[in-house]
Amino acid sequence: MRPVRLMKVFVTRRIPPEGRAALARAADCEVEQWDSDEPIPAKELERGVAGAHGLLCLLSDHVDKRLLDAAGANLKVISTMSVGVDHLALEEIKKRGIRVGYTPDVLTDATAELAMSLLLTTCRRLPEAIKEVRNGGWTSWKPLWMCGYGLTQSTVGIIGLGRIGQAIARRLKPFGIQRFLYTGRQPRPQEAAEFQAEFVSTPKLAAESDFIIVACSLTPATKGLCNKDFFQQMKTTAVFINISRGDVVNQDDLYEALASGQIAAAGLDVTTPEPLPTDHPLLTLKNCVILPHIGSATYGTRNTMSLLAANNLLAGLRGEPMPSELKL
């Protein structure tokens, strides 16, 4: 009896236990993992993926033509532990007939919660307030000291009313938002009805919103969308939040808008690059809150993401329908 040939799987990072366990149970796979929480060096990634049938990667791993060439003809499945796929060379992957799995839906709630946290932290100036307590700046109660901006009766503009955009709007409704605006590739009347949200142009959304939340995908159309012209159209009292991808924003233009008082404040969970260098000008500003891309960072969500990524990979390798396949 001929021995069963195992399929080689390469995992680019330590992943949470549920996904790791699912791969360990796969008797038809030989799994190799980069055993670190830090990103795998490019040369190690090329070495690890050589001859692999399946690749489980993260959003920080750039899967380009060079890496696909290094992998060779065996590679049949790429499973990314992310909802975003801008790190994958999709046209090249499609050309080679490689299937792609990703992890939508499972991180929607966690990311929406983080967006709310970041919005409230930014508009109510919480990092500044905490610093004042610690450095002795809190001397007495003062009528206008540490005042920020409230959500009640405000206009909120959401760029990208997809799963996450809708989840954010759903959480904002109880705060007494007066008006929701949204923009995107096309109107979404069915989804917008729940919030009585109005589809408008990007300039109109910029000009009329008190709070702007970017929740769109990174595409050629959205890259650099929030630039100097965009910020100049915003109210001087407006607060800008980005939880999508760093490249949607021109960060030099954002810095100028914040430093000059063109807009009131910004909160970012995503930047370009990631991590943001510690000497970046945005980090010198009191009115800019920056988080290290933790939108989906709850124990439950990350475990669920890892399990879905593992199941996508295994299903693809076995020629079965994936739980979440990206149609190319």
Side-chain angles (χ1 to χ4, degrees):
M1 183 175 170
R2 293 176 64 185
V4 176
R5 190 176 174 194
L6 298 178
M7 293 179 284
K8 178 183 174 182
V9 168
F10 188 73
V11 183
T12 65
R13 199 86 57 92
R14 285 185 199 137
I15 61 171
E18 290 188 21
R20 202 162 59 234
L23 292 177
R25 289 192 298 268
D28 52 352
C29 293
E30 179 186 12
V31 180
E32 183 184 346
Q33 176 184 274
W34 176 250
D35 193 21
S36 172
D37 292 325
E38 298 303 317
I40 183 171
K43 288 292 180 192
E44 289 295 323
L45 179 53
E46 289 176 17
R47 181 203 61 76
V49 80
H53 299 85
L55 173 66
L56 196 156
C57 65
L58 309 186
L59 55 80
S60 52
D61 301 313
H62 294 285
V63 181
D64 53 14
K65 183 178 185 299
R66 177 172 173 159
L67 187 66
L68 294 169
D69 287 342
N74 279 349
L75 189 63
K76 300 300 179 208
V77 183
I78 296 169
S79 179
T80 180
M81 195 178 126
S82 65
V83 64
V85 292
D86 46 282
H87 56 300
L88 306 180
L90 295 178
E91 286 303 316
E92 191 65 32
I93 289 167
K94 181 179 180 180
K95 207 185 300 180
R96 297 171 189 234
I98 298 169
R99 295 173 69 185
V100 174
Y102 69 135
T103 60
D105 300 321
V106 296
L107 49 70
T108 298
D109 288 333
T111 306
E113 288 171 5
L114 190 279
M116 291 297 303
S117 303
L118 183 55
L119 174 59
L120 291 166
T121 295
T122 304
C123 72
R124 294 300 300 271
R125 302 171 63 184
L126 299 191
E128 287 181 76
I130 292 166
K131 190 175 180 182
E132 290 296 289
V133 172
R134 289 180 172 171
N135 67 17
W138 182 19
T139 55
S140 68
W141 189 89
K142 304 165 196 172
L144 292 176
W145 185 61
M146 293 308 308
C147 283
Y149 298 94
L151 294 170
T152 306
Q153 295 298 301
S154 68
T155 296
V156 173
I158 299 176
I159 298 177
L161 197 67
R163 287 181 293 263
I164 293 171
Q166 291 167 53
I168 294 167
R170 204 166 287 125
R171 285 159 174 77
L172 278 168
K173 266 182 83 172
F175 283 85
I177 305 304
Q178 185 175 59
R179 186 177 175 221
F180 283 103
L181 306 177
Y182 75 101
T183 189
R185 281 181 300 229
Q186 59 193 21
R188 307 188 69 165
Q190 194 171 336
E191 293 85 351
E194 180 182 348
F195 321 106
Q196 297 179 304
E198 180 185 349
F199 182 75
V200 297
S201 67
T202 301
K204 184 177 173 71
L205 181 142
E208 297 186 12
S209 298
D210 299 302
F211 303 94
I212 293 174
I213 302 169
V214 184
C216 59
S217 301
L218 177 62
T219 66
T222 61
K223 186 171 183 176
L225 176 69
C226 301
N227 56 17
K228 183 177 181 179
D229 289 342
F230 181 91
F231 296 124
Q232 285 180 340
Q233 289 160 346
M234 287 174 62
K235 299 176 182 181
T236 57
T237 54
V239 173
F240 176 83
I241 303 294
N242 184 18
I243 52 95
S244 62
R245 285 290 184 268
D247 278 341
V248 175
V249 177
N250 182 312
Q251 289 178 173
D252 292 337
D253 292 348
L254 176 60
Y255 173 82
E256 291 301 325
L258 289 166
S260 67
Q262 176 64 51
I263 66 174
L268 311 174
D269 185 43
V270 287
T271 60
T272 302
E274 291 182 359
L276 195 68
T278 54
D279 61 353
H280 195 282
L282 283 172
L283 292 171
T284 67
L285 300 173
K286 284 184 178 180
N287 58 344
C288 188
V289 178
I290 300 179
L291 303 178
H293 202 154
I294 56 170
S296 63
T298 69
Y299 291 112
T301 298
R302 291 284 171 85
N303 258 306
T304 303
M305 288 172 71
S306 74
L307 180 59
L308 179 54
N311 286 337
N312 281 337
L313 184 78
L314 295 172
L317 288 173
R318 294 162 182 164
E320 300 167 357
M322 290 185 189
S324 291
E325 182 167 2
L326 183 71
K327 299 301 181 186
L328 300 179

PDB file of all heavy atoms in Angstrom, residues 1 30 44-45 60 93 105 108 115 121 143 166 170-171 183 189 197 209 217 228 238 245 248 250-251 254 289 291 293:
ATOM      1  N   MET A   1       0.849  -1.201   0.000  1.00  0.00           N
ATOM      2  CA  MET A   1       0.000   0.000   0.000  1.00  0.00           C
ATOM      3  C   MET A   1       0.884   1.250   0.000  1.00  0.00           C
ATOM      4  O   MET A   1       1.795   1.396   0.820  1.00  0.00           O
ATOM      5  CB  MET A   1      -0.863   0.000   1.274  1.00  0.00           C
ATOM      6  CG  MET A   1      -1.835   1.152   1.344  1.00  0.00           C
ATOM      7  SD  MET A   1      -2.907   0.979   2.803  1.00  0.00           S
ATOM      8  CE  MET A   1      -3.688   2.573   2.786  1.00  0.00           C
ATOM      9  N   GLU A  30       0.823  18.445   6.243  1.00  0.00           N
ATOM     10  CA  GLU A  30       2.068  18.641   6.983  1.00  0.00           C
ATOM     11  C   GLU A  30       2.215  20.150   7.181  1.00  0.00           C
ATOM     12  O   GLU A  30       2.378  20.887   6.201  1.00  0.00           O
ATOM     13  CB  GLU A  30       3.237  18.079   6.183  1.00  0.00           C
ATOM     14  CG  GLU A  30       4.587  18.250   6.834  1.00  0.00           C
ATOM     15  CD  GLU A  30       5.719  17.793   5.924  1.00  0.00           C
ATOM     16  OE1 GLU A  30       5.470  17.557   4.722  1.00  0.00           O
ATOM     17  OE2 GLU A  30       6.839  17.696   6.410  1.00  0.00           O
ATOM     18  N   GLU A  44      12.784  34.236   4.516  1.00  0.00           N
ATOM     19  CA  GLU A  44      12.235  33.080   5.222  1.00  0.00           C
ATOM     20  C   GLU A  44      10.861  32.691   4.673  1.00  0.00           C
ATOM     21  O   GLU A  44      10.510  31.519   4.581  1.00  0.00           O
ATOM     22  CB  GLU A  44      12.136  33.369   6.725  1.00  0.00           C
ATOM     23  CG  GLU A  44      13.459  33.421   7.444  1.00  0.00           C
ATOM     24  CD  GLU A  44      14.170  32.076   7.433  1.00  0.00           C
ATOM     25  OE1 GLU A  44      13.498  31.034   7.532  1.00  0.00           O
ATOM     26  OE2 GLU A  44      15.403  32.066   7.307  1.00  0.00           O
ATOM     27  N   LEU A  45      10.082  33.712   4.314  1.00  0.00           N
ATOM     28  CA  LEU A  45       8.756  33.451   3.746  1.00  0.00           C
ATOM     29  C   LEU A  45       8.889  32.740   2.404  1.00  0.00           C
ATOM     30  O   LEU A  45       8.174  31.757   2.127  1.00  0.00           O
ATOM     31  CB  LEU A  45       7.993  34.764   3.586  1.00  0.00           C
ATOM     32  CG  LEU A  45       6.581  34.684   2.989  1.00  0.00           C
ATOM     33  CD1 LEU A  45       5.700  33.698   3.737  1.00  0.00           C
ATOM     34  CD2 LEU A  45       5.932  36.075   2.983  1.00  0.00           C
ATOM     35  N   SER A  60      -0.327  41.563   7.009  1.00  0.00           N
ATOM     36  CA  SER A  60       0.997  42.189   6.922  1.00  0.00           C
ATOM     37  C   SER A  60       1.941  41.424   5.991  1.00  0.00           C
ATOM     38  O   SER A  60       3.078  41.852   5.766  1.00  0.00           O
ATOM     39  CB  SER A  60       1.621  42.280   8.319  1.00  0.00           C
ATOM     40  OG  SER A  60       1.594  41.015   8.954  1.00  0.00           O
ATOM     41  N   ILE A  93      -2.877  35.991  -8.711  1.00  0.00           N
ATOM     42  CA  ILE A  93      -3.413  34.793  -8.050  1.00  0.00           C
ATOM     43  C   ILE A  93      -4.504  34.153  -8.918  1.00  0.00           C
ATOM     44  O   ILE A  93      -4.538  32.931  -9.101  1.00  0.00           O
ATOM     45  CB  ILE A  93      -3.950  35.170  -6.655  1.00  0.00           C
ATOM     46  CG1 ILE A  93      -2.779  35.491  -5.715  1.00  0.00           C
ATOM     47  CG2 ILE A  93      -4.820  34.060  -6.074  1.00  0.00           C
ATOM     48  CD1 ILE A  93      -3.183  36.163  -4.425  1.00  0.00           C
ATOM     49  N   ASP A 105     -17.230  39.211   8.124  1.00  0.00           N
ATOM     50  CA  ASP A 105     -18.336  39.015   9.087  1.00  0.00           C
ATOM     51  C   ASP A 105     -17.872  38.780  10.521  1.00  0.00           C
ATOM     52  O   ASP A 105     -18.362  39.427  11.437  1.00  0.00           O
ATOM     53  CB  ASP A 105     -19.278  37.866   8.662  1.00  0.00           C
ATOM     54  CG  ASP A 105     -19.919  38.128   7.307  1.00  0.00           C
ATOM     55  OD1 ASP A 105     -20.282  39.279   7.040  1.00  0.00           O
ATOM     56  OD2 ASP A 105     -20.028  37.187   6.515  1.00  0.00           O
ATOM     57  N   THR A 108     -16.722  41.928  12.322  1.00  0.00           N
ATOM     58  CA  THR A 108     -17.543  43.128  12.168  1.00  0.00           C
ATOM     59  C   THR A 108     -17.852  43.794  13.511  1.00  0.00           C
ATOM     60  O   THR A 108     -17.656  45.001  13.683  1.00  0.00           O
ATOM     61  CB  THR A 108     -18.860  42.782  11.434  1.00  0.00           C
ATOM     62  OG1 THR A 108     -18.546  42.296  10.131  1.00  0.00           O
ATOM     63  CG2 THR A 108     -19.759  43.996  11.308  1.00  0.00           C
ATOM     64  N   ALA A 115     -14.326  51.173  16.659  1.00  0.00           N
ATOM     65  CA  ALA A 115     -14.611  52.464  16.020  1.00  0.00           C
ATOM     66  C   ALA A 115     -15.340  53.392  16.983  1.00  0.00           C
ATOM     67  O   ALA A 115     -15.030  54.593  17.070  1.00  0.00           O
ATOM     68  CB  ALA A 115     -15.440  52.257  14.755  1.00  0.00           C
ATOM     69  N   THR A 121     -13.197  58.412  22.356  1.00  0.00           N
ATOM     70  CA  THR A 121     -11.889  58.788  22.905  1.00  0.00           C
ATOM     71  C   THR A 121     -11.378  60.074  22.273  1.00  0.00           C
ATOM     72  O   THR A 121     -10.833  60.955  22.948  1.00  0.00           O
ATOM     73  CB  THR A 121     -10.874  57.644  22.661  1.00  0.00           C
ATOM     74  OG1 THR A 121     -11.299  56.504  23.400  1.00  0.00           O
ATOM     75  CG2 THR A 121      -9.477  58.035  23.089  1.00  0.00           C
ATOM     76  N   PRO A 143     -14.869  76.005  33.510  1.00  0.00           N
ATOM     77  CA  PRO A 143     -16.025  75.860  32.608  1.00  0.00           C
ATOM     78  C   PRO A 143     -15.698  75.312  31.223  1.00  0.00           C
ATOM     79  O   PRO A 143     -16.478  74.529  30.678  1.00  0.00           O
ATOM     80  CB  PRO A 143     -16.596  77.272  32.533  1.00  0.00           C
ATOM     81  CG  PRO A 143     -16.217  77.889  33.829  1.00  0.00           C
ATOM     82  CD  PRO A 143     -14.868  77.330  34.168  1.00  0.00           C
ATOM     83  N   GLN A 166     -22.323  49.655   8.599  1.00  0.00           N
ATOM     84  CA  GLN A 166     -23.677  49.493   9.153  1.00  0.00           C
ATOM     85  C   GLN A 166     -23.630  49.191  10.651  1.00  0.00           C
ATOM     86  O   GLN A 166     -24.448  49.701  11.426  1.00  0.00           O
ATOM     87  CB  GLN A 166     -24.402  48.359   8.436  1.00  0.00           C
ATOM     88  CG  GLN A 166     -24.757  48.649   6.986  1.00  0.00           C
ATOM     89  CD  GLN A 166     -25.177  47.382   6.263  1.00  0.00           C
ATOM     90  OE1 GLN A 166     -26.057  46.659   6.713  1.00  0.00           O
ATOM     91  NE2 GLN A 166     -24.541  47.099   5.138  1.00  0.00           N
ATOM     92  N   ARG A 170     -25.370  51.376  13.550  1.00  0.00           N
ATOM     93  CA  ARG A 170     -26.310  50.733  14.482  1.00  0.00           C
ATOM     94  C   ARG A 170     -25.956  51.083  15.932  1.00  0.00           C
ATOM     95  O   ARG A 170     -26.836  51.316  16.766  1.00  0.00           O
ATOM     96  CB  ARG A 170     -26.256  49.224  14.252  1.00  0.00           C
ATOM     97  CG  ARG A 170     -27.476  48.456  14.669  1.00  0.00           C
ATOM     98  CD  ARG A 170     -27.447  47.060  14.080  1.00  0.00           C
ATOM     99  NE  ARG A 170     -27.729  47.060  12.652  1.00  0.00           N
ATOM    100  CZ  ARG A 170     -26.932  46.526  11.725  1.00  0.00           C
ATOM    101  NH1 ARG A 170     -25.790  45.936  12.071  1.00  0.00           N
ATOM    102  NH2 ARG A 170     -27.277  46.588  10.451  1.00  0.00           N
ATOM    103  N   ARG A 171     -24.677  51.131  16.227  1.00  0.00           N
ATOM    104  CA  ARG A 171     -24.231  51.469  17.585  1.00  0.00           C
ATOM    105  C   ARG A 171     -24.356  52.962  17.869  1.00  0.00           C
ATOM    106  O   ARG A 171     -24.498  53.373  19.028  1.00  0.00           O
ATOM    107  CB  ARG A 171     -22.776  51.004  17.775  1.00  0.00           C
ATOM    108  CG  ARG A 171     -22.673  49.492  17.958  1.00  0.00           C
ATOM    109  CD  ARG A 171     -21.275  48.956  17.649  1.00  0.00           C
ATOM    110  NE  ARG A 171     -21.177  47.525  17.966  1.00  0.00           N
ATOM    111  CZ  ARG A 171     -21.673  46.555  17.211  1.00  0.00           C
ATOM    112  NH1 ARG A 171     -22.312  46.843  16.088  1.00  0.00           N
ATOM    113  NH2 ARG A 171     -21.551  45.289  17.569  1.00  0.00           N
ATOM    114  N   THR A 183     -21.458  57.589   1.784  1.00  0.00           N
ATOM    115  CA  THR A 183     -21.016  57.581   0.401  1.00  0.00           C
ATOM    116  C   THR A 183     -20.338  56.255   0.114  1.00  0.00           C
ATOM    117  O   THR A 183     -19.942  55.537   1.033  1.00  0.00           O
ATOM    118  CB  THR A 183     -20.061  58.762   0.109  1.00  0.00           C
ATOM    119  OG1 THR A 183     -19.819  58.855  -1.293  1.00  0.00           O
ATOM    120  CG2 THR A 183     -18.728  58.607   0.825  1.00  0.00           C
ATOM    121  N   PRO A 189     -29.912  51.546  -0.687  1.00  0.00           N
ATOM    122  CA  PRO A 189     -31.156  51.961  -0.043  1.00  0.00           C
ATOM    123  C   PRO A 189     -31.693  50.969   0.983  1.00  0.00           C
ATOM    124  O   PRO A 189     -32.228  51.364   2.019  1.00  0.00           O
ATOM    125  CB  PRO A 189     -32.129  52.149  -1.207  1.00  0.00           C
ATOM    126  CG  PRO A 189     -31.510  51.437  -2.374  1.00  0.00           C
ATOM    127  CD  PRO A 189     -30.040  51.482  -2.160  1.00  0.00           C
ATOM    128  N   ALA A 197     -30.384  56.793   6.394  1.00  0.00           N
ATOM    129  CA  ALA A 197     -29.142  57.412   5.924  1.00  0.00           C
ATOM    130  C   ALA A 197     -29.306  57.892   4.489  1.00  0.00           C
ATOM    131  O   ALA A 197     -29.946  57.238   3.664  1.00  0.00           O
ATOM    132  CB  ALA A 197     -27.991  56.422   6.025  1.00  0.00           C
ATOM    133  N   SER A 209     -20.845  66.932   7.620  1.00  0.00           N
ATOM    134  CA  SER A 209     -20.739  66.012   8.760  1.00  0.00           C
ATOM    135  C   SER A 209     -20.007  66.648   9.935  1.00  0.00           C
ATOM    136  O   SER A 209     -19.017  67.366   9.763  1.00  0.00           O
ATOM    137  CB  SER A 209     -19.998  64.739   8.338  1.00  0.00           C
ATOM    138  OG  SER A 209     -20.706  64.053   7.326  1.00  0.00           O
ATOM    139  N   SER A 217     -13.403  49.778   1.907  1.00  0.00           N
ATOM    140  CA  SER A 217     -12.269  48.951   1.485  1.00  0.00           C
ATOM    141  C   SER A 217     -11.243  49.841   0.788  1.00  0.00           C
ATOM    142  O   SER A 217     -11.584  50.897   0.254  1.00  0.00           O
ATOM    143  CB  SER A 217     -12.725  47.870   0.514  1.00  0.00           C
ATOM    144  OG  SER A 217     -13.706  47.049   1.110  1.00  0.00           O
ATOM    145  N   LYS A 228      -6.093  66.753   0.915  1.00  0.00           N
ATOM    146  CA  LYS A 228      -6.169  68.179   1.243  1.00  0.00           C
ATOM    147  C   LYS A 228      -7.534  68.764   0.894  1.00  0.00           C
ATOM    148  O   LYS A 228      -8.140  69.482   1.701  1.00  0.00           O
ATOM    149  CB  LYS A 228      -5.063  68.938   0.507  1.00  0.00           C
ATOM    150  CG  LYS A 228      -4.996  70.420   0.827  1.00  0.00           C
ATOM    151  CD  LYS A 228      -3.828  71.074   0.105  1.00  0.00           C
ATOM    152  CE  LYS A 228      -3.758  72.554   0.466  1.00  0.00           C
ATOM    153  NZ  LYS A 228      -2.608  73.214  -0.209  1.00  0.00           N
ATOM    154  N   ALA A 238     -15.119  69.558  13.056  1.00  0.00           N
ATOM    155  CA  ALA A 238     -15.385  68.150  12.724  1.00  0.00           C
ATOM    156  C   ALA A 238     -14.275  67.229  13.218  1.00  0.00           C
ATOM    157  O   ALA A 238     -13.108  67.612  13.314  1.00  0.00           O
ATOM    158  CB  ALA A 238     -15.567  67.991  11.221  1.00  0.00           C
ATOM    159  N   ARG A 245      -8.250  51.447   6.070  1.00  0.00           N
ATOM    160  CA  ARG A 245      -6.855  51.204   5.708  1.00  0.00           C
ATOM    161  C   ARG A 245      -6.136  52.557   5.662  1.00  0.00           C
ATOM    162  O   ARG A 245      -6.711  53.560   5.266  1.00  0.00           O
ATOM    163  CB  ARG A 245      -6.744  50.517   4.340  1.00  0.00           C
ATOM    164  CG  ARG A 245      -7.106  49.039   4.357  1.00  0.00           C
ATOM    165  CD  ARG A 245      -6.068  48.213   5.102  1.00  0.00           C
ATOM    166  NE  ARG A 245      -6.337  46.781   5.060  1.00  0.00           N
ATOM    167  CZ  ARG A 245      -7.023  46.114   5.959  1.00  0.00           C
ATOM    168  NH1 ARG A 245      -7.566  46.750   6.989  1.00  0.00           N
ATOM    169  NH2 ARG A 245      -7.190  44.803   5.861  1.00  0.00           N
ATOM    170  N   VAL A 248      -6.107  55.033   2.526  1.00  0.00           N
ATOM    171  CA  VAL A 248      -7.280  55.835   2.140  1.00  0.00           C
ATOM    172  C   VAL A 248      -7.029  57.317   2.466  1.00  0.00           C
ATOM    173  O   VAL A 248      -7.646  58.207   1.881  1.00  0.00           O
ATOM    174  CB  VAL A 248      -8.555  55.324   2.858  1.00  0.00           C
ATOM    175  CG1 VAL A 248      -9.760  56.208   2.570  1.00  0.00           C
ATOM    176  CG2 VAL A 248      -8.854  53.890   2.425  1.00  0.00           C
ATOM    177  N   ASN A 250      -4.376  60.629   2.926  1.00  0.00           N
ATOM    178  CA  ASN A 250      -3.084  61.270   2.711  1.00  0.00           C
ATOM    179  C   ASN A 250      -2.647  61.846   4.055  1.00  0.00           C
ATOM    180  O   ASN A 250      -3.197  62.840   4.522  1.00  0.00           O
ATOM    181  CB  ASN A 250      -3.206  62.369   1.652  1.00  0.00           C
ATOM    182  CG  ASN A 250      -1.870  63.030   1.350  1.00  0.00           C
ATOM    183  OD1 ASN A 250      -1.132  63.414   2.262  1.00  0.00           O
ATOM    184  ND2 ASN A 250      -1.551  63.171   0.077  1.00  0.00           N
ATOM    185  N   GLN A 251      -1.696  61.195   4.703  1.00  0.00           N
ATOM    186  CA  GLN A 251      -1.346  61.559   6.077  1.00  0.00           C
ATOM    187  C   GLN A 251      -0.652  62.904   6.183  1.00  0.00           C
ATOM    188  O   GLN A 251      -0.783  63.595   7.202  1.00  0.00           O
ATOM    189  CB  GLN A 251      -0.494  60.453   6.706  1.00  0.00           C
ATOM    190  CG  GLN A 251      -1.302  59.201   6.996  1.00  0.00           C
ATOM    191  CD  GLN A 251      -0.506  58.050   7.577  1.00  0.00           C
ATOM    192  OE1 GLN A 251      -1.088  57.042   7.960  1.00  0.00           O
ATOM    193  NE2 GLN A 251       0.802  58.167   7.646  1.00  0.00           N
ATOM    194  N   LEU A 254      -3.473  65.266   6.214  1.00  0.00           N
ATOM    195  CA  LEU A 254      -4.161  65.186   7.501  1.00  0.00           C
ATOM    196  C   LEU A 254      -3.385  65.944   8.573  1.00  0.00           C
ATOM    197  O   LEU A 254      -3.979  66.675   9.378  1.00  0.00           O
ATOM    198  CB  LEU A 254      -4.345  63.724   7.920  1.00  0.00           C
ATOM    199  CG  LEU A 254      -4.965  63.494   9.297  1.00  0.00           C
ATOM    200  CD1 LEU A 254      -6.366  64.102   9.390  1.00  0.00           C
ATOM    201  CD2 LEU A 254      -5.004  62.009   9.643  1.00  0.00           C
ATOM    202  N   VAL A 289      -5.361  60.924  17.842  1.00  0.00           N
ATOM    203  CA  VAL A 289      -5.267  59.686  18.617  1.00  0.00           C
ATOM    204  C   VAL A 289      -4.946  58.557  17.647  1.00  0.00           C
ATOM    205  O   VAL A 289      -5.676  58.352  16.673  1.00  0.00           O
ATOM    206  CB  VAL A 289      -6.581  59.383  19.356  1.00  0.00           C
ATOM    207  CG1 VAL A 289      -6.486  58.062  20.112  1.00  0.00           C
ATOM    208  CG2 VAL A 289      -6.952  60.531  20.287  1.00  0.00           C
ATOM    209  N   LEU A 291      -4.029  54.429  17.228  1.00  0.00           N
ATOM    210  CA  LEU A 291      -4.010  53.083  17.802  1.00  0.00           C
ATOM    211  C   LEU A 291      -3.270  52.141  16.845  1.00  0.00           C
ATOM    212  O   LEU A 291      -3.220  52.387  15.633  1.00  0.00           O
ATOM    213  CB  LEU A 291      -5.431  52.576  18.039  1.00  0.00           C
ATOM    214  CG  LEU A 291      -6.326  53.439  18.939  1.00  0.00           C
ATOM    215  CD1 LEU A 291      -7.716  52.812  19.036  1.00  0.00           C
ATOM    216  CD2 LEU A 291      -5.708  53.599  20.318  1.00  0.00           C
ATOM    217  N   HIS A 293      -3.704  49.444  15.026  1.00  0.00           N
ATOM    218  CA  HIS A 293      -4.517  48.540  14.194  1.00  0.00           C
ATOM    219  C   HIS A 293      -5.072  47.382  15.031  1.00  0.00           C
ATOM    220  O   HIS A 293      -4.763  46.215  14.803  1.00  0.00           O
ATOM    221  CB  HIS A 293      -3.714  48.003  13.014  1.00  0.00           C
ATOM    222  CG  HIS A 293      -4.584  47.526  11.884  1.00  0.00           C
ATOM    223  ND1 HIS A 293      -4.174  47.497  10.577  1.00  0.00           N
ATOM    224  CD2 HIS A 293      -5.871  47.050  11.877  1.00  0.00           C
ATOM    225  CE1 HIS A 293      -5.140  47.030   9.808  1.00  0.00           C
ATOM    226  NE2 HIS A 293      -6.192  46.749  10.581  1.00  0.00           N
TER     227      HIS A 293
END
